[in-house]
Structure formats: structure tokens, C-alpha cells
Amino acid sequence: MSVKYEVRYASSPEAVKQYDTAALRKEFLVEDLMKSDELVLVYSHYDRYITGSAVPVKGDIKLEAIDPLKAENFLDRRELGVINVGGDGTVTVDGVDYELTYKDALYVAKDSKSVVFSSKDASNPAKFYLNSAPAHQAFTTKKITKEQANKIELGSLETANHRVVNQMIVSSVVETCQLQMGMTELKTGSVWNTLPSHVHDRRMEVYFYMEVPEEQSVCHFMGQTDETRHIWMQNEQAVISPPWSIHSGAGTSNYTFIWGIAGENLDYGDMDVCPIQELR
């Protein structure tokens, strides 16, 4: 097992207006997730959010505290959300096993000392997608299946955005300090997500695009509502969305994405909507 991490600093909207394609991708796109037998982490200075992955193949992967945390254990001052996007696997938290099948989620509470990821079958390994945010209170570790999620059906085929939002790690399902996670699945024939676009200046967000068919892509839109930019993305890549930025996308096929949020407010509906015709 190896640990790979990097630190991303915050960028102002004025600075981002000057970025070219390479700079946008360097600052916001997370390309190298889901590496076999690696713990991959990206530490963002937006709300001190961490995005990462663990894919145990040859052996277990332990969640290690990285140097920027200045902590003995990863979760000494943090909470963690895990969603399995691969084969069957197990997350062992302080000796307790939580079996996660495809699209199962796990909330791991602050002060958990040991978190270990393992796969049931090395030929079809689990792929654990990880999000973490600072926490100031210890709640209870809890598994959430997709069937247990709050489900919201939005959009329509006529506007190419018919989708189901699965709210998994949210306050109505499990107590958290600030972390929220869920999964949005687009219906066949629909390609647009998160329309109308919005911002929530009190919370940042990270999108992880998955189930993007081979030879297809997703174009993720970001930036201020009157100064948008775009990033082309492939399957199993993530993108960081600053609090001042919209976060929306359109694919060349339907797809699924996992959203993770952290910040000042646990109200999922806390957003400032931008009418579609006002986007620039």
C-alpha cells in the first residue's frame, strides 16, 4: 500500500477569470483517483475538504493521517464519508466491520482511531470514494444503503435533465457536523445535471463523475454565473467547486455523479439559484 496526497490552495474568482485550460484543470480537476493499492487524497483549502479514494487489491488499505492534518489519526478532528463504487468490500472501523456493496455509503464519526479498507474479491475490487471535512463533535458511525436514502426526482426528459437525487449522508438520515454526501443518477436520454444552476457561498462542493460510458465524457461547468468556465472530464474523476462557483454538467451520455458538501449550513436547500437565461 502507498499513500499519495497533494494540497490545493483556494483561488479567488478574479484570479480564475485569467486561467487558461491547463490552469483550470490543475487547480480544480482531480484526475488520478481509483489507483490500485493506493490511498489517494487531495486536501483542499476550501473548507479544509479532503477528496480521495482507496482501492484495495493485493491487501488492505489503512486510512493514514497525512502531514497537513498534524494529527496522530486521520479522524482526530474530522468526519468521513465513504461510498463504494466498485465490487463488494468492507470498511473496518475500530474493529467493527461494515460491508459495502455497490453504491452503499458509510458515515464514519470523528475520533475513530482505525479505518481499514478491504475487498472481497481481488479480481473485482471495491473502489472506495472518500470525502472528509473537519468536525467538532463525535456522532455515530452508520451505514446507509441507496434504498435507505432520501430520494428526490427532478427534471424531465423534455429538458434532458430527468434525474434522481439520492441523499445518503444528510441530516435527515444520519447526524453529521458539516459533511453531506449523496448520489445523483441521470435517466437514459438525459445529460444535464444541477439545472437551474446555483451557488451556495456558505458551502463548497466536490463532484465525482462515474458510470460515464467508455468513449464518452462529461463537460463540467464552473465559475461565477456571469463568467463561466468549463472542464472536460472522464469516468471516475472529481472536480472541486468553490463556494462562489456554479457546479453543473452535461454529458455525451447519461451518467451518475456523487456530490459532497461541507460548510456553514446543513440545509440541503440552501442555495442561490441562477436562472438559466442569465448564465454567461
Side-chain angles (χ1 to χ4, degrees):
M1 172 200 140
S2 65
V3 181
K4 176 184 176 182
Y5 76 89
E6 62 174 302
V7 176
R8 304 276 184 100
Y9 292 96
S11 301
S12 74
E14 289 303 315
V16 172
K17 288 179 183 180
Q18 313 305 318
Y19 288 178
D20 62 10
T21 298
L24 280 173
R25 294 175 72 86
K26 180 181 178 182
E27 292 296 321
F28 301 108
L29 180 63
V30 182
E31 295 185 86
D32 296 325
L33 293 170
M34 302 303 166
K35 299 296 185 182
S36 297
D37 296 308
E38 285 189 7
L39 176 64
V40 180
L41 301 170
V42 175
Y43 180 104
S44 170
H45 278 251
Y46 292 113
D47 287 297
R48 306 288 172 172
Y49 204 85
I50 293 178
T51 304
S53 63
V55 183
V57 179
K58 295 179 180 178
D60 297 348
I61 294 179
K62 183 178 181 181
L63 184 64
E64 301 278 5
I66 56 177
D67 184 67
L69 299 183
K70 305 299 182 185
E72 180 180 356
N73 303 294
F74 190 96
L75 295 176
D76 283 351
R77 297 185 296 270
R78 291 186 155 267
E79 56 191 354
L80 173 72
V82 181
I83 298 180
N84 184 10
V85 298
D88 294 354
T90 301
V91 183
T92 303
V93 181
D94 291 340
V96 179
D97 292 341
Y98 297 89
E99 296 183 1
L100 301 187
T101 60
Y102 189 58
K103 294 185 177 179
D104 284 346
L106 180 69
Y107 171 77
V108 185
K110 173 185 177 290
D111 292 332
S112 300
K113 303 302 181 188
S114 173
V115 180
V116 179
F117 304 98
S118 61
S119 294
K120 183 177 180 180
D121 181 358
S123 66
N124 182 28
K127 295 181 177 180
F128 297 107
Y129 177 61
L130 316 176
N131 282 190
S132 175
H136 305 288
Q137 183 175 348
F139 290 109
T140 302
T141 297
K142 181 179 179 180
K143 173 183 171 180
I144 306 102
T145 66
K146 199 179 80 168
E147 290 68 30
Q148 294 170 322
N150 291 335
K151 297 183 184 297
I152 304 172
E153 191 164 349
L154 297 172
S156 68
L157 187 58
E158 288 74 17
T159 50
N161 64 357
H162 189 197
R163 62 201 188 272
V164 176
V165 180
N166 299 280
Q167 298 177 331
M168 304 183 82
I169 300 177
V170 295
S171 56
S172 58
V173 177
V174 58
E175 285 189 297
T176 75
C177 286
Q178 62 168 322
L179 179 66
Q180 298 182 83
M181 290 182 74
M183 182 185 310
T184 299
E185 299 169 306
L186 275 75
K187 301 287 189 177
T188 300
S190 288
V191 296
W192 280 98
N193 74 66
T194 321
L195 281 179
S197 297
H198 61 262
V199 296
H200 28 68
D201 200 45
R202 296 149 296 284
R203 303 180 295 169
M204 63 84 68
E205 192 159 0
V206 175
Y207 274 15
F208 173 78
Y209 288 98
M210 55 180 281
E211 295 186 328
V212 179
E214 189 175 355
E215 300 183 354
Q216 303 299 318
S217 297
V218 174
C219 189
H220 181 85
F221 294 89
M222 62 165 294
Q224 293 176 295
T225 56
D226 61 350
E227 189 84 27
T228 60
R229 299 290 185 270
H230 67 270
I231 299 175
W232 281 98
M233 299 179 60
Q234 308 306 314
N235 190 43
E236 296 184 344
Q237 293 181 344
V239 62
I240 299 168
S241 178
W244 46 263
S245 174
I246 67 165
H247 32 282
S248 183
T252 56
S253 172
N254 63 306
Y255 52 89
T256 296
F257 69 97
I258 295 172
W259 42 267
I261 308 172
E264 191 172 353
N265 195 341
L266 284 171
D267 177 10
Y268 179 82
D270 173 25
M271 60 186 70
D272 301 314
V273 175
C274 173
I276 294 171
Q277 68 272 20
E278 293 183 10
L279 290 170
R280 298 290 184 267

